[in-house]
Amino acid sequence: MPSIVPSPAAAESYLWAIILFPLAGAIVNGLTGRRLGRGNVTVIAIGVMVGAFLVSSVAFYHALTGTVLRFRGEPWIQVTGADGRTIVSIGWGLLVDRLSATMIMVVTGVGTLIHVYSASYMSHEDDAGYARFFTYLNLFVAAMLTLVLGDSLILTFVGWEGVGLCSYLLIGFWYTDPAKAFAGRKAFVTNRIGDFGFLIGVFALFSIFGTVGYADLQSLAHGVDPAAAIQTGVFAGRTYQAAITFALIGLFVGACGKSAQLPLYVWLPDAMAGPTPVSALIHAATMVTAGVYLVARNAYLFSLAPAAMATVTLVGALTALFAAMIAFVQTDIKKVLAYSTVSQLGFMFIGVGVGAWWAGVLHLVTHAFFKACLFLGAGSVMHGMHEDTDIRNMGGLAKKMPHTAATFGIATLAITGFVPLSGFFSKDAILGNALFSHNPAWHQVGQIAYVLGSLAALGTAFYMSRLFFLTFTGKPRTAAAEHAHESSPVMYLPLWVLAILSIVALLLGLPGHGPLAEVFARFTEPVFAAGTEQLHEVGHLHAGAHPAWPFAVAWALAAVGTLVAYLMYAGALRTAPATLARTFPRLYQFAVDKFRVDELYQMVVIEPLKTAAYLLWRIVDVFAIDGLVVNGVARLVGYAGSVLRLAQNGDVQRYAAIMVVAAAVILWTVVGAGGR
């Protein structure tokens, strides 16, 4: 081992520094950023990210050698009984295995590039806004690192809530704009619904196993007979499989909130209200990947609950297709990419849902590269177009912005699924494994996911190619497009790094059986070995080699989708989109309105809740509490006072007269009546 690399023991003792670096940057810039000046703010914000990346690289090196690093802290939640015995003891600790090592490299690596890009993109902000932006950005990364490094569901939940808070702050960064402030609130409230499910899952697992540490959960679950009945606790009389399924469905509800799956996806498209680097960070390196990580981290538990895995698979497949259909007709460059993220997250959930854990996480990694490139490229386009986001106003930008166009094109090919870019191998590894999976709870769910996912892949090729052709090819359609300009090197150099990563990441997922085949599958095998073994035992996973024809079908779908988009938006059929819109006006408008899901939620959920809240306010607050208790008691006292005031009005002569009359009555009663 090179002397410059710390030993495993030394590396374990410094794992906390991975989180501390960006957290320290957030604290320093948050408290003193206005006085430091934007130059120092930039150095601090990017410097702490580089520090976190370097420490993460050391941890990743040890993960490559097969070493699992653990940093154990003192217990921080303890409950003791009347006899002094400890009933609950939850410690805090950090864990770096090959899954969390992969995640911290993505978070710190892609996050650093986004920070560098942001230094130029946010240069128009005043000093106070500039410091506030980088404070939130550093804090966002620190929260995500806490989420993926935590060795228990409790510490994961701390980071989970941290990224939820930071998303609210960053999406609503320009809070003086009511629409942007509303988008931040929408994201926050929607995620709280998912978090309720997460907490139910955590409490349920604690009731079943008495712990929520990842290592302890896997160890205890390994000796469990799924068909056996639980003897004590909330789930007494239920089978372990039923109880675990209930708990995991709760966790998956939380994952649907963070990773924007049906029905809780509605916040993510509106998250475009924040600065574009925020969109890149949310969509590529933080937040939305949290739900996929949560399912993958608990792979062995999910392998004991086939119904939960079927739910994850089906929701992912439906989301992938649904979001792709909405993206067909969107005209905002960031909205197209947002629905693309929702769809690609659906593919990741198909992967982890069918038990191809490595494929789902690999697509998370490759998606981080090309989606960060796409979002930062969109920011570069907006910068050159004076913040115009309507792709109908663009065109011909390839000549005006060659670096942005080239990198955007590479990332588009990657997400579309063209050989030999990385997105092809990660996405189609997911679909291939789905096709040949056999879930005991629902044998056909994998095949259904394959069909829906293939249609979504076809849609991805179409809408992403449409986006590229409308933005970068043809002639400029407006004066802004005619006078567009390339961004500064500080902005386009990170784009080239991400574009290159989108290509070379193909080496992680090459199919076959040679030394370079399925590198990432073999790398993560120790993490998922127990879950994979369980799935093989129940016949969920196909034991033999998969045929090659699904890859050929996937390539054909990508080619067909791209060809159709070319013909309709850059070739001989350019009048077809307008003709279709006129022929099917209601269907077209329905798609433009995003299938009116927000309106449906407004009618079915929000308005009834507002009405119920208004009635409860009138009955409980206004009538019962204010009317009867607070004001009622006050009125009663006031009425009694008004009666007594007749005798106590401050008139001394009246007091003297009453005293004389009272004395006469007493004298008559005692002397007169008493004497007789």
Side-chain angles (χ1 to χ4, degrees):
M1 178 185 300
S3 59
I4 60 172
V5 179
S7 66
E12 286 180 336
S13 64
Y14 288 104
L15 287 181
W16 52 267
I18 300 175
I19 301 172
L20 184 62
F21 268 116
L23 182 60
I27 293 172
V28 172
N29 281 335
L31 295 177
T32 65
R34 295 187 182 186
R35 295 188 296 274
L36 290 175
R38 65 178 60 217
N40 290 324
V41 167
T42 305
V43 170
I44 292 171
I46 297 177
V48 297
M49 288 300 302
V50 172
F53 177 74
L54 292 176
V55 180
S56 297
S57 299
V58 173
F60 185 78
Y61 170 82
H62 288 295
L64 279 174
T65 65
T67 304
V68 177
L69 304 178
R70 297 180 186 276
F71 178 84
R72 299 185 183 277
E74 296 296 324
W76 60 304
I77 299 178
Q78 278 191 322
V79 178
T80 56
D83 56 358
R85 290 188 302 108
T86 300
I87 301 174
V88 177
S89 179
I90 299 175
W92 72 275
L94 306 178
L95 167 68
V96 176
D97 58 7
R98 292 186 172 184
L99 175 59
S100 54
T102 300
M103 293 297 297
I104 60 177
M105 290 300 289
V106 170
V107 173
T108 58
V110 176
T112 299
L113 293 173
I114 293 172
H115 276 67
V116 172
Y117 175 97
S118 300
S120 177
Y121 188 89
M122 298 298 292
S123 59
H124 64 280
E125 285 288 324
D126 59 31
D127 288 348
Y130 191 83
R132 181 165 58 92
F133 176 80
F134 278 105
T135 297
Y136 294 164
L137 216 60
N138 278 165
L139 187 61
F140 205 167
V141 173
M144 187 66 188
L145 290 170
T146 303
L147 189 156
V148 299
L149 285 172
D151 69 346
S152 70
L153 281 166
I154 296 297
L155 197 54
T156 291
F157 187 71
V158 172
W160 192 272
E161 291 301 285
V163 295
L165 169 64
C166 293
S167 67
Y168 164 74
L169 295 173
L170 284 166
I171 293 170
F173 180 77
W174 290 307
Y175 56 86
T176 54
D177 184 331
K180 291 177 171 57
F182 175 79
R185 294 197 301 272
K186 183 177 182 180
F188 191 79
V189 172
T190 305
N191 274 275
R192 298 293 73 72
I193 297 171
D195 294 351
F196 182 70
F198 188 110
L199 287 175
I200 290 176
V202 171
F203 294 146
L205 286 174
F206 189 85
S207 175
I208 299 167
F209 296 108
T211 182
V212 288
Y214 292 126
D216 295 335
L217 284 173
Q218 180 165 326
S219 177
L220 292 171
H222 187 70
V224 162
D225 177 8
I230 299 174
Q231 300 301 317
T232 59
V234 176
F235 297 99
R238 305 283 185 179
T239 65
Y240 276 98
Q241 186 174 84
I244 292 172
T245 299
F246 175 83
L248 296 181
I249 292 295
L251 291 183
F252 181 59
V253 170
C256 286
K258 279 291 181 289
S259 294
Q261 297 295 284
L262 288 171
L264 299 178
Y265 75 94
V266 292
W267 68 271
L268 190 57
D270 288 345
M272 300 305 97
T276 300
V278 173
S279 302
L281 195 61
I282 290 176
H283 288 249
T286 62
M287 188 113 175
V288 297
T289 61
V292 180
Y293 170 78
L294 181 68
V295 176
R297 172 54 68 194
N298 293 282
Y300 185 72
L301 290 175
F302 274 92
S303 70
L304 298 175
M309 293 188 69
T311 302
V312 173
T313 303
L314 187 61
V315 170
L318 290 171
T319 303
L321 181 58
F322 184 79
M325 293 169 63
I326 296 178
F328 286 169
V329 296
Q330 297 303 305
T331 56
D332 185 301
I333 187 171
K334 291 175 68 176
K335 285 289 181 70
V336 175
L337 296 178
Y339 282 107
S340 168
T341 298
V342 176
S343 182
Q344 296 305 307
L345 288 166
F347 280 101
M348 298 176 207
F349 278 110
I350 294 174
V352 295
V354 300
W357 319 105
W358 70 271
V361 177
L362 175 59
H363 197 55
L364 183 156
V365 174
T366 59
H367 178 265
F369 298 149
F370 53 69
K371 186 51 64 68
C373 185
L374 288 168
F375 263 110
L376 297 184
S380 181
V381 169
M382 292 165 57
H383 185 74
M385 289 284 297
H386 305 291
E387 301 305 314
D388 189 352
T389 62
D390 194 330
I391 57 178
R392 295 170 297 184
N393 298 333
M394 299 176 188
L397 295 186
K399 295 180 180 179
K400 308 290 183 180
M401 311 176 70
H403 292 286
T404 301
T407 54
F408 201 97
I410 292 171
T412 298
L413 290 175
I415 193 174
T416 295
F418 264 94
V419 179
L421 280 77
S422 59
F424 173 83
F425 297 102
S426 59
K427 183 190 299 182
D428 296 302
I430 291 172
L431 294 178
N433 279 277
L435 179 61
F436 298 105
S437 66
H438 300 280
N439 190 306
W442 186 1
H443 291 291
Q444 291 78 31
V445 71
Q447 290 69 49
I448 293 172
Y450 173 79
V451 173
L452 296 177
S454 296
L455 292 174
L458 176 64
T460 301
F462 174 78
Y463 68 72
M464 286 304 303
S465 299
R466 166 184 175 265
L467 174 62
F468 182 83
F469 292 135
L470 284 176
T471 303
F472 294 102
T473 65
K475 296 180 179 180
R477 290 185 286 275
T478 61
E482 182 66 45
H483 296 94
H485 58 85
E486 183 62 271
S487 301
S488 69
V490 176
M491 291 176 65
Y492 69 67
L493 287 178
L495 297 180
W496 276 112
V497 175
L498 291 165
I500 293 170
L501 289 172
S502 299
I503 298 173
V504 300
L506 69 91
L507 297 174
L508 299 176
L510 291 173
H513 300 283
L516 294 179
E518 295 187 343
V519 171
F520 194 75
R522 289 185 278 112
F523 173 70
T524 56
E525 183 179 3
V527 180
F528 303 128
T532 302
E533 180 183 356
Q534 170 68 20
L535 295 181
H536 279 299
E537 288 179 2
V538 298
H540 184 123
L541 291 179
H542 181 67
H546 296 162
W549 64 263
F551 287 93
V553 171
W555 186 88
L557 291 173
V560 169
T562 302
L563 177 61
V564 172
Y566 170 78
L567 292 174
M568 293 179 67
Y569 295 98
L573 302 178
R574 295 186 186 184
T575 60
T579 302
L580 289 172
R582 288 193 301 268
T583 305
F584 306 100
R586 292 185 179 180
L587 180 61
Y588 174 76
Q589 191 59 45
F590 188 53
V592 170
D593 293 340
K594 299 163 289 187
F595 300 143
R596 297 178 187 150
V597 174
D598 284 319
E599 290 81 357
L600 177 65
Y601 284 179
Q602 184 74 27
M603 179 179 66
V604 175
V605 179
I606 298 174
E607 289 301 331
L609 285 176
K610 287 175 65 176
T611 301
Y614 176 78
L615 292 175
L616 288 173
W617 170 69
R618 294 293 302 178
I619 295 172
V620 177
D621 280 33
V622 176
F623 176 73
I625 297 177
D626 291 342
L628 296 181
V629 178
V630 179
N631 295 331
V633 171
R635 290 192 184 99
L636 179 61
V637 171
Y639 177 75
S642 64
V643 172
L644 294 174
R645 191 162 52 243
L646 296 175
Q648 299 288 333
N649 64 350
D651 188 339
V652 177
Q653 292 179 338
R654 183 178 296 181
Y655 293 167
I658 292 174
M659 291 174 63
V660 170
V661 172
V665 170
I666 293 172
L667 184 63
W668 178 81
T669 302
V670 174
V671 177
R676 288 192 301 271

